[in-house]
Amino acid sequence: MTRNAKTALIPSFQRPVSRVVIRSVASYEQDLLALIYETLCEFDLPLRGKKVLLKPNLVGPDPLGVTNTHPAVIAASRESLLRLGAEQVLIGEGPALDRDTEAILESIGLRHYAGPLAGVFVDLNVDDVEKVLLKTTASRLKELYLPKTVLGADFVISMPKLKTHHWAGVTLSLKNMFGIVPGSCYGWPKNVLHWAGIDSAILDINAAVRPDFAIVDGIVGMEGNGPIQGEPKNSGVLILGDDPVAVDATCCRVMGLLPEKVRYLTQAGILLGHIQPDKIQQLGESIASVRTPFSVLDNFKHLVDTSAEFGTQPALVG
Amino acid sequence: MIPGNQGVFAPQSSSGARGGVIASAQGQSQSASFVESVCLPKLRSAQNDDGGWGYRPGSQSRVEPTCWALQALINVAAVEVSSEACHRGLQFLRSAQLPDGSWPFAAGQEVGCSVTAPACWALLSGKNSFEAVAAGLNWLSQDRPQDSVFWRRLLRRLSPARHRSRQNSAYRGWGWNPGTSSWVEPTSVALVVLGLCPKELLPAGANERRQSAEAMLYDRMCPGGGWNCGDPLVYGVPGKPLVIPTAWALLALRRYPQRPENLASLDWLAGKLPDEAGPGSLALAQICLEAYGHKWPATAHRPDDLYSNNEFLGSITTTAWVCLAANSRRSWLTGESGEAAR
């Protein structure tokens, strides 16, 4: 039984309205702690005494700060959660391509932002594992060995970077959960997931471990040939929400893309969360005011929203 | 040259080797002291009751960290293979072997995978498990990554996405898991193990398999030298090499030291090291450069310099690699251990 088995899979018509907040943030030098703390307070999350796992997207050395979730966002989120009463806030990631996780952490300077990493950071690639029978059959995977740190967390927060992806279209809080699958069982890269079908594997993983919350670093994102070789995109937003599917749908709309055309998001909208605008309570900045169209590779041109009304879709505006 | 091991890892006699291998005697002395005072005690104390090692002290015993901890104890600490620690470690490996000769990533998995190569390697160093090694090598020789099978390649040629990558999938290496694609690191480690094995342990067809795997590595090299995990060109954009796959690939291809690809990759590796902050990467790079007789870049950290940053994140594998890098004995890499045992 996985950590949130009772709440992961709920038909969309039975799921309550999701809440997503967009914050406009000019740079990583801004007071992110105050901003994230105040935003999290608005959600009244059940964090007191809980073990929280932050799952950033750390892919590889990133001198331009384009590829990985920025360490300033990770550190500010961690501190905010501790202030909100969480007993423990771990940072966990299993980088997909480079097995020297410490090299990545040092290259982005996470230690300088978050303090000593011993006892705080967990390399999910080499964590103890437990066999989890998957609850969905989107892919041919029937089971996955998943890290005990993830399965034992009371509250999981997916913290992706706002990026396009050359195989999946976009990589946001759902795709970010690929990083919980341990390289020590599935390799670098986690090629089993590719062979199972990326879209399908995203669904099965998130059905097994659905993030309870998402914080997307869109201050600087990546467009084009993401998730590694794309171009920086200054989009100036943090996007937070209590439904990873709704957060990803909102991110797509901010990026000028149609979430309804992202295959895995459409399917996630059936059982894992909401993508319909009328089921997402939009708080903070409006989508229209922060919209920053991202370029995509030719094979994802169909994702681009060309409608004149774009940005005015959400029906529920807080 | 050691009879029977095909001379694959015979020491090179380049000018670089004569010029003073790796780094100053002072640096080596500091590293050796660090290994004695920090790394080896850590490895000894982290052995689990079942004889294996986890990726971190106190975690589940797994095949891969057990292999590297054993290599470090046997080859650096000079612990006798008959000692209790080694005996228990080797017994853990033997008991983890699956009926088909392979080893799984984790207890409970019923399918073998890429850790079969390092398991064979560790047992060779342990000198008394040749039937288990032969079974493991036989499984490796039978393992067929799916990207290289004919109908997959045909589908790929007909696919509209065929232009996205330039790689030649006819070359066959090894994947991380059965039924997937060939990747640089598992291919390289398997090649190293096949290269150091006594000839009589090699299964039929091993030489042809090695040739194809070597060709695969050269095919997957990043433009300009070095390797990433195995996808050197995506949508026309050159991939960025990584230290660990590059070090492994160079070790696997060490019998071609003068090939332009090797030289370019060595240049890339040496040039990357001054910026490298991962102790595991640095340790493997040190082993690799030393194997080619190259000096350690004066501006690069030594792996032990970085311990105070994060205590290697508790990694047993990194700790073992640092031990092996700091020790000038390379019998574990040349096949002398296995040869001596026969």
Side-chain angles (χ1 to χ4, degrees):
Chain A
M1 182 69 70
T2 52
R3 42 176 292 285
N4 57 2
K6 291 179 182 172
T7 58
L9 300 175
I10 298 175
S12 181
F13 65 87
Q14 291 182 345
R15 191 180 284 278
V17 168
S18 304
R19 291 180 296 166
V20 177
V21 178
I22 300 175
R23 295 288 182 217
S24 188
V25 186
S27 78
Y28 292 106
E29 282 70 49
Q30 204 166 319
D31 187 354
L32 297 178
L33 175 57
L35 187 142
I36 292 173
Y37 176 77
E38 288 165 11
T39 304
L40 290 176
C41 284
E42 294 178 25
F43 282 89
D44 194 24
L45 299 171
L47 295 170
R48 189 154 298 280
K50 296 294 176 60
K51 293 180 182 175
V52 180
L53 177 70
L54 295 177
K55 163 60 183 78
N57 182 217
L58 304 179
V59 182
D62 181 19
L64 297 177
V66 180
T67 309
N68 304 310
T69 308
H70 197 283
V73 179
I74 301 170
S77 300
R78 182 169 186 273
E79 181 60 28
S80 298
L81 293 158
L82 289 169
R83 289 187 184 186
L84 286 167
E87 177 189 316
Q88 181 186 50
V89 183
L90 296 175
I91 304 166
E93 167 65 314
L97 304 174
D98 188 349
R99 69 181 296 166
D100 195 339
T101 302
E102 188 173 358
I104 298 173
L105 301 181
E106 286 299 303
S107 76
I108 66 170
L110 181 59
R111 184 162 49 94
H112 301 293
Y113 287 88
L117 298 177
V120 172
F121 182 87
V122 180
D123 184 351
L124 299 180
N125 277 330
V126 293
D127 198 23
D128 281 352
V129 293
E130 182 177 322
K131 184 161 79 174
V132 173
L133 299 177
L134 297 177
K135 294 179 290 186
T136 50
T137 55
S139 74
R140 65 183 181 191
L141 298 168
K142 295 186 172 122
E143 64 185 35
L144 280 174
Y145 283 77
L146 294 177
K148 287 190 171 181
T149 297
V150 176
L151 299 174
D154 299 313
F155 201 83
V156 174
I157 299 181
S158 181
M159 297 190 66
K161 190 86 165 168
L162 192 71
K163 293 191 288 189
T164 52
H165 191 283
H166 55 217
W167 291 329
V170 291
T171 173
L172 300 163
S173 59
L174 296 181
K175 172 67 175 66
N176 182 39
M177 295 301 281
F178 258 43
I180 70 166
V181 177
S184 64
C185 295
Y186 301 102
W188 288 263
K190 301 154 188 187
N191 196 210
V192 166
L193 304 182
H194 302 149
W195 279 81
I198 291 178
D199 290 337
S200 305
I202 290 171
L203 295 166
D204 282 340
I205 292 167
N206 280 277
V209 183
R210 180 180 181 269
D212 301 281
F213 200 83
I215 302 174
V216 182
D217 171 12
I219 300 173
V220 177
M222 178 183 283
E223 65 179 358
N225 188 12
I228 301 172
Q229 295 168 308
E231 297 297 321
K233 185 72 172 178
N234 290 310
S235 33
V237 290
L238 284 177
I239 301 175
L240 307 86
D242 59 8
D243 170 358
V245 182
V247 168
D248 287 5
T250 301
C251 288
C252 286
R253 292 176 176 123
V254 169
M255 299 162 85
L257 305 174
L258 294 165
E260 300 83 1
K261 296 288 181 71
V262 179
R263 188 161 41 181
Y264 72 82
L265 263 184
T266 306
Q267 294 176 332
I270 298 171
L271 283 173
L272 288 169
H274 292 307
I275 65 169
Q276 311 97 307
D278 63 344
K279 294 285 190 182
I280 303 172
Q281 185 179 17
Q282 198 71 60
L283 303 161
E285 308 292 337
S286 70
I287 290 174
S289 69
V290 297
R291 181 193 179 206
T292 309
F294 277 47
S295 66
V296 294
L297 295 174
D298 284 345
N299 50 322
F300 288 107
K301 289 290 187 195
H302 62 283
L303 301 184
V304 175
D305 185 355
T306 56
S307 70
E309 301 79 23
F310 177 80
T312 61
Q313 292 155 330
L316 298 173
V317 178
Chain B
M1 184 179 299
I2 302 162
N5 79 344
Q6 304 168 306
V8 174
F9 286 103
Q12 305 300 320
S13 56
S14 69
S15 57
R18 288 194 299 273
V21 173
I22 298 296
S24 68
Q26 185 183 8
Q28 283 184 321
S29 171
Q30 286 173 355
S31 297
S33 171
F34 173 78
V35 164
E36 285 293 333
S37 62
V38 176
C39 295
L40 290 175
K42 181 177 171 181
L43 290 180
R44 288 190 179 101
S45 66
Q47 188 172 23
N48 290 327
D49 290 343
D50 62 9
W53 279 261
Y55 279 99
R56 292 191 304 259
S59 63
Q60 299 165 334
S61 292
R62 303 278 290 274
V63 172
E64 189 185 33
T66 299
C67 294
W68 290 114
L70 279 170
Q71 294 282 20
L73 289 182
I74 293 170
N75 295 293
V76 180
V79 172
E80 290 295 325
V81 170
S82 58
S83 69
E84 187 193 349
C86 282
H87 176 77
R88 290 169 53 227
L90 293 166
Q91 182 56 35
F92 172 82
L93 286 184
R94 284 190 291 265
S95 65
Q97 189 173 27
L98 297 171
D100 64 3
S102 67
W103 275 265
F105 272 118
Q109 280 187 318
E110 295 168 352
V111 178
C113 66
S114 60
V115 297
T116 297
C120 289
W121 196 351
L123 290 178
L124 278 172
S125 291
K127 301 178 182 175
N128 64 355
S129 307
F130 290 109
E131 283 186 18
V133 173
L137 296 175
N138 190 54
W139 182 87
L140 279 174
S141 72
Q142 301 294 323
D143 180 42
R144 295 278 191 269
Q146 285 299 296
D147 60 340
S148 62
V149 301
F150 174 75
W151 68 271
R152 285 276 178 194
R153 287 186 282 131
L154 182 63
L155 282 178
R156 187 184 173 96
R157 292 186 72 168
L158 297 174
S159 163
R162 61 187 176 278
H163 64 283
R164 293 178 192 167
S165 175
R166 58 146 208 210
Q167 69 195 40
N168 184 346
S169 295
Y171 299 131
R172 182 173 289 162
W174 282 271
W176 294 100
N177 299 88
T180 59
S181 307
S182 299
W183 295 96
V184 167
E185 186 176 328
T187 297
S188 300
V189 177
L191 276 173
V192 169
V193 174
L194 289 175
L196 59 81
C197 266
K199 196 179 344 184
E200 53 268 37
L201 287 181
L202 293 175
N207 275 337
E208 291 76 13
R209 197 67 203 281
R210 286 180 68 189
Q211 288 167 7
S212 184
E214 288 170 348
M216 178 233 130
L217 288 182
Y218 282 121
D219 181 62
R220 303 286 180 92
M221 192 186 79
C222 293
W227 282 263
N228 60 17
C229 57
D231 209 356
L233 200 64
V234 180
Y235 291 103
V237 181
K240 293 177 183 170
L242 294 167
V243 170
I244 288 179
T246 297
W248 275 123
L250 282 167
L251 287 168
L253 299 169
R254 193 175 158 231
R255 62 174 169 168
Y256 310 106
Q258 297 304 322
R259 274 188 66 145
E261 297 95 327
N262 293 44
L263 296 173
S265 297
L266 284 164
D267 282 347
W268 177 84
L269 186 62
K272 175 73 175 72
L273 294 180
D275 300 328
E276 182 56 51
S281 295
L282 287 171
L284 281 180
Q286 184 175 343
I287 292 164
C288 174
L289 289 183
E290 182 180 323
Y292 277 83
H294 283 232
K295 290 181 180 178
W296 188 249
T299 53
H301 290 294
R302 287 180 167 280
D304 45 292
D305 295 338
L306 305 179
Y307 184 74
S308 60
N309 287 349
N310 304 297
E311 299 181 357
F312 300 163
L313 293 176
S315 169
I316 292 297
T317 306
T318 297
T319 303
W321 287 349
V322 170
C323 291
L324 292 164
N327 191 279
S328 58
R329 289 178 57 207
R330 289 288 182 263
S331 57
W332 61 281
L333 193 57
T334 61
E336 291 164 17
S337 311
E339 182 67 22
R342 291 185 309 121

